[in-house]
Amino acid sequence: GLLVNDPSLLLLDEPTAGLDPVAAHELRTLVAETVCQANATCIWATHDLESLPPQATRILLLNDQKLIFDGPVEEGLSKPWRIRAGLAVA
């Protein structure tokens, strides 16, 4: 319902938690379309890096409430950074 109002900022906390893969894909698509149409910004907080929208351009990684990475998604998703964030095993 909130997406109907063409928001300029979306703050989403674990938006795909509890969704099956099809519903999660549909949600990512809907959010991407809304962000594009409204020229909006979306902040997508998640522990599930697989749920990140493919249009994401920047990632911030936290560990123990401390920012450890702020930069391009591709670099932030590299194994060394995922390990430092506690999101992968060595």
Side-chain angles (χ1 to χ4, degrees):
L2 293 173
L3 299 179
V4 173
N5 295 323
D6 291 327
S8 61
L9 176 64
L10 291 172
L11 302 172
L12 306 174
D13 184 15
E14 300 283 354
T16 59
L19 297 180
D20 62 73
V22 172
H25 174 73
E26 290 175 358
L27 177 64
R28 281 192 301 276
T29 300
L30 180 60
V31 169
E33 289 171 357
T34 300
V35 167
C36 183
Q37 291 172 358
N39 196 27
T41 298
C42 178
I43 298 174
W44 185 288
T46 186
H47 290 89
D48 178 12
L49 298 180
E50 299 299 319
S51 76
L52 289 174
Q55 300 83 3
T57 58
R58 180 176 168 200
I59 190 168
L60 285 78
L61 297 175
L62 306 172
N63 191 346
D64 197 23
Q65 301 179 5
K66 293 183 179 92
L67 180 65
I68 63 166
F69 181 85
D70 177 358
V73 172
E74 186 175 314
E75 183 181 352
L77 292 180
S78 67
K79 190 165 184 178
W81 282 112
R82 286 186 292 123
I83 290 170
R84 289 176 74 182
L87 298 169
V89 293

